Short mmCIF file of all heavy atoms in Angstrom, two decimals:
data_model
loop_
_atom_site.label_atom_id
_atom_site.label_comp_id
_atom_site.label_asym_id
_atom_site.label_seq_id
_atom_site.Cartn_x
_atom_site.Cartn_y
_atom_site.Cartn_z
N GLY A 23 -45.05 20.23 71.94
CA GLY A 23 -45.07 19.11 71.07
C GLY A 23 -43.56 18.52 70.92
O GLY A 23 -43.55 17.41 70.38
N LEU A 24 -42.67 19.14 71.39
CA LEU A 24 -41.24 18.62 71.26
C LEU A 24 -40.85 17.71 72.59
O LEU A 24 -41.04 18.19 73.61
CB LEU A 24 -40.20 19.69 71.10
CG LEU A 24 -38.72 19.20 70.96
CD1 LEU A 24 -38.53 18.69 69.65
CD2 LEU A 24 -37.81 20.41 71.16
N SER A 25 -40.45 16.41 72.24
CA SER A 25 -40.23 15.58 73.36
C SER A 25 -38.90 14.94 73.16
O SER A 25 -38.50 14.68 72.00
CB SER A 25 -41.26 14.54 73.54
OG SER A 25 -41.36 13.60 72.37
N ARG A 26 -38.26 14.64 74.27
CA ARG A 26 -37.07 13.83 74.30
C ARG A 26 -37.14 12.76 75.28
O ARG A 26 -37.48 12.94 76.43
CB ARG A 26 -35.83 14.77 74.74
CG ARG A 26 -35.53 15.84 73.77
CD ARG A 26 -34.38 16.78 74.37
NE ARG A 26 -33.92 17.65 73.52
CZ ARG A 26 -34.36 18.91 73.30
NH1 ARG A 26 -35.43 19.28 73.95
NH2 ARG A 26 -33.82 19.77 72.42
N ARG A 27 -37.00 11.45 74.95
CA ARG A 27 -37.25 10.37 75.71
C ARG A 27 -36.23 9.16 75.40
O ARG A 27 -35.86 9.05 74.24
CB ARG A 27 -38.69 9.87 75.75
CG ARG A 27 -39.09 9.13 74.38
CD ARG A 27 -40.53 8.77 74.40
NE ARG A 27 -41.28 9.97 74.02
CZ ARG A 27 -42.58 10.18 74.49
NH1 ARG A 27 -43.14 9.37 75.41
NH2 ARG A 27 -43.22 11.18 74.10
N VAL A 28 -35.91 8.40 76.38
CA VAL A 28 -35.03 7.21 76.14
C VAL A 28 -36.02 6.13 75.65
O VAL A 28 -37.05 5.94 76.10
CB VAL A 28 -34.43 6.73 77.50
CG1 VAL A 28 -33.64 5.43 77.24
CG2 VAL A 28 -33.39 7.87 77.89
N GLU A 29 -35.50 5.41 74.59
CA GLU A 29 -36.35 4.43 73.88
C GLU A 29 -35.66 3.15 73.70
O GLU A 29 -34.46 3.16 73.21
CB GLU A 29 -36.93 4.95 72.64
CG GLU A 29 -37.76 3.99 71.77
CD GLU A 29 -38.11 4.47 70.40
OE1 GLU A 29 -37.39 4.46 69.58
OE2 GLU A 29 -39.22 4.90 70.27
N PHE A 30 -36.21 1.99 74.11
CA PHE A 30 -35.68 0.65 73.79
C PHE A 30 -36.63 -0.06 73.00
O PHE A 30 -37.68 -0.23 73.26
CB PHE A 30 -35.47 -0.16 75.06
CG PHE A 30 -34.59 0.64 76.18
CD1 PHE A 30 -35.12 1.50 77.07
CD2 PHE A 30 -33.13 0.39 76.04
CE1 PHE A 30 -34.32 2.11 77.94
CE2 PHE A 30 -32.37 1.13 77.07
CZ PHE A 30 -32.93 1.88 77.96
N GLU A 31 -36.20 -0.52 71.77
CA GLU A 31 -36.95 -1.32 70.77
C GLU A 31 -36.25 -2.50 70.36
O GLU A 31 -35.04 -2.48 69.97
CB GLU A 31 -37.39 -0.47 69.66
CG GLU A 31 -38.39 -1.00 68.70
CD GLU A 31 -38.97 0.00 67.78
OE1 GLU A 31 -38.20 0.25 66.77
OE2 GLU A 31 -40.05 0.54 67.98
N MET A 32 -36.84 -3.69 70.29
CA MET A 32 -36.17 -4.87 69.81
C MET A 32 -37.33 -5.83 69.24
O MET A 32 -38.50 -5.86 69.57
CB MET A 32 -35.54 -5.56 70.85
CG MET A 32 -36.13 -5.76 72.28
SD MET A 32 -35.80 -4.29 73.29
CE MET A 32 -33.98 -4.09 73.00
N PRO A 33 -36.91 -6.66 68.34
CA PRO A 33 -37.84 -7.53 67.58
C PRO A 33 -38.33 -8.76 68.41
O PRO A 33 -37.72 -9.11 69.38
CB PRO A 33 -37.11 -8.13 66.37
CG PRO A 33 -35.61 -7.99 66.86
CD PRO A 33 -35.51 -6.82 67.74
N LEU A 34 -39.45 -9.29 68.16
CA LEU A 34 -40.10 -10.35 68.65
C LEU A 34 -40.49 -11.46 67.75
O LEU A 34 -40.55 -11.14 66.50
CB LEU A 34 -41.54 -9.97 69.40
CG LEU A 34 -41.44 -8.98 70.73
CD1 LEU A 34 -42.79 -8.54 71.02
CD2 LEU A 34 -40.73 -9.79 71.89
N ASP A 35 -40.62 -12.70 68.24
CA ASP A 35 -41.02 -13.75 67.37
C ASP A 35 -42.50 -13.77 67.01
O ASP A 35 -42.95 -14.48 66.12
CB ASP A 35 -40.46 -15.13 67.87
CG ASP A 35 -39.06 -15.19 67.85
OD1 ASP A 35 -38.42 -14.62 67.00
OD2 ASP A 35 -38.51 -15.85 68.84
N GLY A 36 -43.25 -13.20 67.96
CA GLY A 36 -44.67 -13.19 67.92
C GLY A 36 -45.32 -11.98 68.63
O GLY A 36 -44.61 -11.00 68.68
N ASP A 37 -46.47 -12.05 69.06
CA ASP A 37 -47.27 -10.98 69.59
C ASP A 37 -47.10 -10.92 71.15
O ASP A 37 -47.79 -10.07 71.79
CB ASP A 37 -48.70 -10.84 69.14
CG ASP A 37 -49.50 -12.02 69.67
OD1 ASP A 37 -48.85 -12.95 70.19
OD2 ASP A 37 -50.71 -11.99 69.48
N ALA A 38 -46.38 -11.84 71.68
CA ALA A 38 -46.28 -11.81 73.20
C ALA A 38 -45.16 -11.04 73.76
O ALA A 38 -44.07 -11.09 73.19
CB ALA A 38 -46.11 -13.35 73.62
N LEU A 39 -45.39 -10.32 74.74
CA LEU A 39 -44.31 -9.40 75.42
C LEU A 39 -43.22 -10.44 75.96
O LEU A 39 -43.61 -11.45 76.49
CB LEU A 39 -45.01 -8.63 76.51
CG LEU A 39 -44.06 -7.67 77.13
CD1 LEU A 39 -43.69 -6.57 76.29
CD2 LEU A 39 -44.85 -7.15 78.40
N ASP A 40 -41.99 -10.07 75.71
CA ASP A 40 -40.89 -10.88 76.26
C ASP A 40 -39.90 -10.04 76.89
O ASP A 40 -39.05 -9.40 76.33
CB ASP A 40 -40.27 -11.60 75.01
CG ASP A 40 -39.20 -12.65 75.47
OD1 ASP A 40 -38.87 -12.55 76.62
OD2 ASP A 40 -38.53 -13.32 74.63
N TRP A 41 -39.95 -10.01 78.25
CA TRP A 41 -39.11 -9.23 79.05
C TRP A 41 -37.56 -9.47 78.78
O TRP A 41 -36.70 -8.70 78.93
CB TRP A 41 -39.34 -9.24 80.56
CG TRP A 41 -40.62 -8.61 81.00
CD1 TRP A 41 -41.81 -9.13 81.20
CD2 TRP A 41 -40.85 -7.15 81.12
NE1 TRP A 41 -42.79 -8.13 81.45
CE2 TRP A 41 -42.11 -6.95 81.38
CE3 TRP A 41 -39.92 -6.07 80.96
CZ2 TRP A 41 -42.73 -5.59 81.62
CZ3 TRP A 41 -40.41 -4.81 81.25
CH2 TRP A 41 -41.80 -4.59 81.54
N ALA A 42 -37.33 -10.82 78.59
CA ALA A 42 -35.89 -11.14 78.38
C ALA A 42 -35.25 -10.53 77.12
O ALA A 42 -33.94 -10.45 77.06
CB ALA A 42 -35.80 -12.71 78.31
N ARG A 43 -36.02 -10.01 76.23
CA ARG A 43 -35.51 -9.41 75.06
C ARG A 43 -34.98 -8.01 75.33
O ARG A 43 -34.13 -7.53 74.66
CB ARG A 43 -36.63 -9.41 73.93
CG ARG A 43 -37.07 -10.66 73.28
CD ARG A 43 -35.95 -11.32 72.45
NE ARG A 43 -36.45 -12.64 71.94
CZ ARG A 43 -36.75 -12.78 70.65
NH1 ARG A 43 -36.85 -11.62 69.85
NH2 ARG A 43 -37.20 -13.88 70.20
N PHE A 44 -35.49 -7.39 76.39
CA PHE A 44 -35.04 -6.08 76.73
C PHE A 44 -33.62 -6.13 77.34
O PHE A 44 -33.38 -7.05 78.13
CB PHE A 44 -36.00 -5.47 77.65
CG PHE A 44 -37.25 -4.87 77.07
CD1 PHE A 44 -38.56 -5.24 77.54
CD2 PHE A 44 -37.19 -3.94 76.03
CE1 PHE A 44 -39.69 -4.72 77.02
CE2 PHE A 44 -38.35 -3.36 75.51
CZ PHE A 44 -39.57 -3.96 76.03
N PRO A 45 -32.81 -5.13 77.18
CA PRO A 45 -31.47 -5.18 77.82
C PRO A 45 -31.84 -4.80 79.32
O PRO A 45 -32.72 -4.34 79.74
CB PRO A 45 -30.72 -4.00 77.07
CG PRO A 45 -31.83 -3.06 76.54
CD PRO A 45 -32.97 -4.01 76.24
N PRO A 46 -30.74 -5.17 80.22
CA PRO A 46 -30.89 -4.93 81.65
C PRO A 46 -31.32 -3.40 81.99
O PRO A 46 -32.15 -3.26 82.92
CB PRO A 46 -29.59 -5.33 82.12
CG PRO A 46 -29.03 -6.29 81.26
CD PRO A 46 -29.51 -5.81 79.87
N GLU A 47 -30.66 -2.40 81.27
CA GLU A 47 -30.97 -1.01 81.67
C GLU A 47 -32.44 -0.75 81.35
O GLU A 47 -32.96 0.12 81.87
CB GLU A 47 -30.05 -0.15 80.93
CG GLU A 47 -30.06 -0.27 79.36
CD GLU A 47 -28.98 -1.32 78.95
OE1 GLU A 47 -28.66 -2.26 79.56
OE2 GLU A 47 -28.45 -1.00 77.77
#
């Protein structure tokens, strides 16, 4: 049950996925 993972999270203006919002890494 214990997990370790890299996570990237950022806000959006709506419900559409926006790749440009993610950092390059």
Side-chain angles (χ1 to χ4, degrees):
L24 182 71
S25 63
R26 294 174 171 88
R27 71 184 82 211
V28 176
E29 180 185 73
F30 302 92
E31 186 170 79
M32 43 273 314
L34 290 171
D35 295 330
D37 63 351
L39 184 68
D40 185 353
W41 286 102
R43 294 287 182 103
F44 283 122
E47 58 267 31

